[in-house]
Structures are given as structure tokens and as C-alpha cells.
Amino acid sequence: GSAEIERGLSAIEAFDNALHTAEVRARDAQQGVAGLTPPDLAGLELEATSLREELSAAEIRHGSLVERRRALAATVGKIGAAGAELAALEAAYADAGRISQVARGDNPFRMSFQRFVLAALLDDVLISASRRLHSMSKGRYRLQRVTREGGRRRPGGLDLEVDDAYTGRTRAVTTLSGGEGFQAALALALGLADVVQSYAGGIRLDTMFIDEGFGSLDPEALELAIDTLVDLQASGRLIGVISHVPELKERIPTRLEVLAGTAGSHARFSAAP
């Protein structure tokens, strides 16, 4: 009937409208993709796979770094605790450490406590020795201890130098001539004897023996050295000189001479006329 016709016409009209709409959308879509190049899906898939692999590796590295950071944080904590413990120990043993530095000579002069004590005793020896040497050298030389800061290769504090009045400068004792060196050694020996007596609670060194060395002196220096020994003898000491220098025989009243012979050597006492 007429009702069925009306429904058919409505269905046809709806279909036509839907078709028109689809055709418009298809035409718009064709216009929109005009001139476009289809994407390389295979290449994009490969790139996506590579990126996924990089992401996985980055996640692994991130996990490793997080673990390392955790370990480092724990180490920092241990270092802090050790630092606090070390500070406490340094405070507790500061005095002992300072004493150790002093004892082993950890200073610019590399002078240990033992060498410091010896240096103080040596200064006393040098006072007496310089007085003797000054007299034997006719006012030219005095001995003194090197107090300048030295190098790091050898300990300091006990090195000697000579104050030369002729130049107004100090120089090493090794620059002295043979005769001057003997004078310095003799002066040191006499100075040491003086200091030993003063430090030994009244003990007196009544006898001294001096071995060779006078042969290196010129006549004037020999005379001054002998005068020094004569002064010592006058103070009550017995001075023994071991020497081959003929000039000494004339100045020494009592001599023990050793004579060599074919049957061996023998000794005899003799006195100067």
C-alpha cells in the first residue's frame, strides 16, 4: 500500500543523502592527500625497534647508576664517620704527635731533639774553643755553629763554620788550610775539655794528650799553639804531645823518646838542657 511506498521513498532519500555525504568526504580526503608521499613503514619500524633497544639499555644504565649512587652515599657516610673518629684521635694525640715531630726533627732545620741538646752543649764548647782559636790565629778566627736553615738532605744543627775577621764573613771549616784546621781542632779539643769539667760535677781533666798535627803549622802558628799549651800546663794540667817536630823538643822540658834500632825500638826519658 501507500505506507510501504512512503517508507521505501524515505529509505531511498536517506541512502542518497548518505551517499552524497560519503562522496563529499571521499573527495575531501582525496584532496587532502594529494601530493603526499606514503611513509616508509618498514624504515619506521626499524627505527622504532632501535629506539626501543636504546631505551632498554638506558634503563639498565639508569639502574646501575642508581645502585652506584646508593653505594657512594653509603661510602660517604662511612668517610664522614671515619673523619669524625680521626678528628677525635688527632685531638687526643695532638700532644704526642707534636712531641714526636720535635723528637724526630720535623722542622725547617731538620734538627731532632737529641741534636738540639747536643747543639746547646756544642755552643758552650765553641765559646771556649773560639777563645783559644782567636788567640792562636792572632785574632782572625772564631768558631760558631751554623744556624741558617739548611737543605732537606741531611740533619742540621751541628755544622760548624768559621767567622773570619779578615773578610768580615763566615765560611765553612773545610776552607781552612791544614795548619788552620789543626788549630781549630786543637781549640775544639781544649774547649771540650773545659766544658766536660764544668758539666761533670767538679771532675777535672788533669791530663791531655795531643797527637800529630804540629808539622802542618808555620813557625809563627806553631809558636802560638805551643804558648797555648804552655798556658794550660801552667794551670796545673799535664799536657802530653806526640810529635816529630824538632821545634817541640826545644820547648818541652821532659820527653819520652822512642828510638828505633836493629834489635827493636826502645824508649827513654830525657830532659832538655
Side-chain angles (χ1 to χ4, degrees), residues 31-227:
Q31 292 176 353
V33 298
L36 296 179
T37 302
D40 183 7
L41 294 178
L44 292 176
E45 286 292 341
L46 290 175
E47 184 177 356
T49 301
S50 176
L51 291 174
R52 282 191 292 271
E53 292 175 351
E54 291 181 7
L55 176 60
S56 177
E59 288 175 344
I60 293 174
R61 288 196 303 271
H62 176 265
S64 175
L65 291 175
V66 168
E67 184 61 29
R68 185 180 178 187
R69 180 179 181 276
R70 185 181 300 109
L72 290 175
T75 302
V76 169
K78 292 179 181 178
I79 292 174
E85 182 180 359
L86 179 61
L89 291 174
E90 288 179 344
Y93 293 97
D95 292 339
R98 179 57 182 158
I99 292 174
S100 175
Q101 287 181 330
V102 172
R104 70 174 183 266
D106 186 6
N107 54 66
F109 297 95
R110 297 205 64 190
M111 185 187 299
S112 65
F113 179 72
Q114 179 184 17
R115 294 179 73 87
F116 173 79
V117 174
L118 292 176
L121 297 175
L122 180 58
D123 285 338
D124 289 343
V125 172
L126 293 178
I127 292 174
S128 178
S130 290
R131 185 172 64 252
R132 312 275 190 189
L133 181 59
H134 189 258
S135 175
M136 284 189 285
S137 63
K138 298 180 65 174
R140 179 174 183 179
Y141 295 128
R142 291 184 184 276
L143 291 170
Q144 64 185 37
R145 189 168 54 84
V146 178
T147 56
R148 298 180 299 275
E149 183 176 329
R152 304 297 295 178
R153 292 187 177 182
R154 59 191 300 268
L158 299 180
D159 295 321
L160 298 182
E161 62 185 3
V162 179
D163 182 6
D164 190 342
Y166 285 11
T167 63
R169 298 179 179 179
T170 59
R171 55 191 173 97
V173 291
T174 54
T175 62
L176 293 174
S177 65
E180 293 169 340
F182 173 73
Q183 289 178 327
L186 177 59
L188 280 171
L190 299 177
L192 180 60
D194 292 338
V195 171
V196 167
Q197 290 186 166
S198 65
Y199 274 77
I203 294 177
R204 178 176 174 80
L205 298 179
D206 292 321
T207 304
M208 293 185 63
F209 285 91
I210 301 172
D211 204 349
E212 275 289 3
F214 293 94
S216 61
L217 302 177
D218 58 44
E220 183 177 11
L222 177 61
E223 187 69 23
L224 291 171
I226 294 175
D227 289 342

